[in-house]
Amino acid sequence: MSKEWPLWEVFIRGQHGLNHRHVGSLHAPDAEMAIMNARDVYTRRNEGVSIWVVPSAQITASSPSEKGPLFEPSNAKVYRHPTFFDIPEEVGHM
Amino acid sequence: MPSLPDMTTPQVAELARHQAEAHPAHPTVPQPDEGQEAFFETLLRIGDSALVLGHRVSEWCGHSPALEEDIALANVALDLIGQTQLWLGLAGEVEGQGRSADDLAYLRDAWDFRNLLICERPNGDFGHTLMRQFLFDAWHHELLKGLAASSDPRVAEIAAKAGKEVAYHLERSSDLVVRLGDGTEESHRRMQQALDALWPYAGEMFLGDDKDAQMAARGIAPDPASLRAGWDATLRHVLGEATLQIPASDFAHKGGKQGIHTEHLGYILAEMQFLQRAYPGASW
Amino acid sequence: MYAQLVKSEGMKAREEMTPQEIAFQERIDRGEKIEPKEWMPEGYRKTLVRQIGQHAHSEIVGQLPEGNWITRAPTLERKAILLAKVQDEAGHGLYLYSAAETLGVSRDELMELLHAGKMKYSSIFNYPTLTWADMGAVGWLVDGAAIMNQVPLQRTSYGPYSRAMIRICKEESFHQRQGYAVMMKLAQGTPAQKRMAQDALNRFWYPALMMFGPSDKDSVHSAQSMAWKIKINTNDELRQKFVDQTVPQAEYLGLTVPDPDLKWNEEKGGHDFSEPDWSEFFDVIAGNGPCNKDRLGARVKAWEDGAWFREGLMAHAEKAAARRAQAAE
C-alpha cells in the first residue's frame, strides 16, 4: 500500500460571524489542498465564509480520564452564571 | 480504389502543398447579416461547450481516485450544468421560437451542436481529464471576463455569475496540473502525454468566423483571437511551474463551432438524449 | 440496513464484566457519549469499526447504481439534482470513514478490506438500475429505508459516529423527497411512464425490505449492539415502520405494492406483509447478486487507476515541504 494522504481536521466559520467550528475531517496531501478539499466537501450547502485546517496529528486533546478534575471544579462556581444573583423585579432588565 | 496511388507517391505532401498554393481554400459562401442568428449561434457555442464538458466530467462521479476529488469534480460538473441552463435558456429566448434550454440540449442532433471539440474528447485517465479541464478553464476564464463586459446585460449578468465559478475551477485545475507535473516520474509523464494529446484541440478556442466578428463588432462577445494573450500567459505560468513542455506545433483541429464534430459527440448525445428520444413529449 | 449482519463481539452478562466494563456500560446507560481516546471494550471498538466501515462502503458503492443514470438523466435539472445527490453519497462515505478512523483504522485500510471482499456493503446496491424510474425507486424506497435506520442512529453512543449521522441526516432529507418527486412525475405521466414506475416498485420492493436484514429478535449480536447503543431498533421494528410509512405513499402514487398479502392489521396497528425471499438475500450477500462483480470491480478499478494520482500528489507535497525547509535554512 502506498503512503496515505494525511488526515486533517476542518473548522468552518459560518455566515454569522461566530467562532470557527469543527465540522469533520478529510484527507489531503498538504494544507493548501486540504483547504480546497474542505471547500468542496464541507461547504456544499453554503455553510461557510472561512476555513481552517489542522493536521489531525497536531491536535493535542485533554485526557478523557482527567475529565473529572478538569471540568468538575467549575460546577461548584455557580456564581459565574448570571442566574445566581437575585435582582428585584422593580430594578428591571439586567 | 483511386486513393491507392497517392499512398505510394513519395512526395505526396509536396504535391498537396503545390495544389494548395495553386488553389486557395474554397471561398466560404457569404452569409447574409442575420443579426439575431449570429447571437443565437454564439450562445449555443458557449452553452454547448458547458453542456458537453459538464457531461464528460459527470462521468467520473463514483469513479475518481479519491473521495475528495470525486466531490470536487462533481462541483465542477454541477457548475457547468447550471451555466448550460442559463446560456441555452438565453439562446432559446434570443431565438424566439419557444425552445427551452432542455429542448436545445435534448432535441438537437450532433450537427446542430456548437461546442468546442476539446469538450467532447473522452476522459482518458484522471490526468487527461484534469489537463483538458485546465486548458478549457484558462480559456473559459478569459472568455467570461470578456462577456462580463458585454453590451447585452443578460449576457453580462450570466458571465458575472459563471465567472466566479470558473475562477475557482481554474484555481483548482491549475493547482493540480502543477502538482502532478512536479509529483512523480509517472505523474509527470502522464501529464505531458495529456498535454501533447490535447494540444491540437486547444487552438480552436481562438479561431473566429464571421459570426464572431459580428458579435465583437456589436460588443456582445469578445473576439476569440483577443483571448489568446491571457490564455498564453496562464499556460506559460502554470505549465512552467509544472515543468511541462508546451508543444511546438500550432496545428489546430476545428469545426466544432460550425457543427462538424468528432465521432465522440454522437455517442454522448445517444446517451444523454435517450429518454427524451424514446418517450417523445413525456414530461420528467 | 446499510450495515447488515454486523457481528458484535462477545455479549457479556453483568456478573462477568470487569469493573471497568461495568463503568463503561453505565456511562452508555446514562446516555453519555463515548469519545475517541476514551477507554472502551475491544469488542465495542471492533464492532463499531465493522459497522461504520460497512456503512461507509455502502455509501460509496451506493454511488454506482445511481451514478449509472447521471449521463442519461432526462432534463438538465434532473441531471443536476441526481449528480448532487450522488455527490452527497460520496460525502457521506467520507464522513463515515472519518468516524471509523477515530477508532484507529485508516481509510486506506478499510478500502483495501472492501476491495479484498473482506468487508461488506449493503445488499441493495447489488441490484441493477434498469430504467429512469429506478432513480425514483432508489430515492424513495432505498433512501427511505436508510433514513429509518439513520435517524435513531443520531443518538448512538459513539460520539464521532453520532455526529456523522447528524450531518448525514440533515443532508439526506432531500434525497428521499427527490426520489418521490421523480416517481410522482412518472405516475402522473404517460401510460408508458406509469408502467415504468410500477415496474421499478415491483423490482425494488423486496430488496428494500431486505435492507433491514433478517429478523434479529433472537440474535445475541444485536442484543449486545443494542446494549452498547450502536444499534437502536430491531430489524423487524424498522421494517414494520418502513412498510407502514411506504404503503400510503404508494397509494398516493396510484401504484401497487407487489404483495398480494399486504393488508392493514387493526389489532397490531400496522400492516401485515410478506417476507422477502431470504435465500435470495443470502445469495446476494455471498456475492451472487446481479451486480456484485460489477460494483466491486468498478471500485477496485477506480482505486487502482487512481494510485498514480494519489502518489503523485503526495510526492509533490513532500518535495514542496522539503524545498520550503531548505529555503528557510
Side-chain angles (χ1 to χ4, degrees), chain B residues 162-180:
Chain B
K164 284 182 207 144
E165 296 168 349
V166 170
Y168 182 73
H169 299 176
L170 178 59
E171 188 186 329
R172 204 170 209 291
S173 60
S174 306
D175 184 65
L176 286 168
V177 164
V178 168
R179 287 164 181 273
L180 292 168

Side-chain angles (χ1 to χ4, degrees), chain A residues 50-71:
Chain A
S50 165
I51 300 173
W52 288 349
V53 293
V54 183
S56 306
Q58 296 294 317
I59 301 263
T60 308
S62 61
S63 161
S65 56
E66 287 167 19
K67 205 151 85 178
L70 275 183
F71 305 116

Side-chain angles (χ1 to χ4, degrees), chain C residues 141 200-209 242-243 246-247 257-259:
Chain C
L141 301 175
L201 174 56
N202 293 349
R203 281 182 291 108
F204 274 95
W205 175 255
Y206 287 107
L209 295 187
F242 174 74
V243 170
T246 309
V247 167
V257 172
D259 179 0

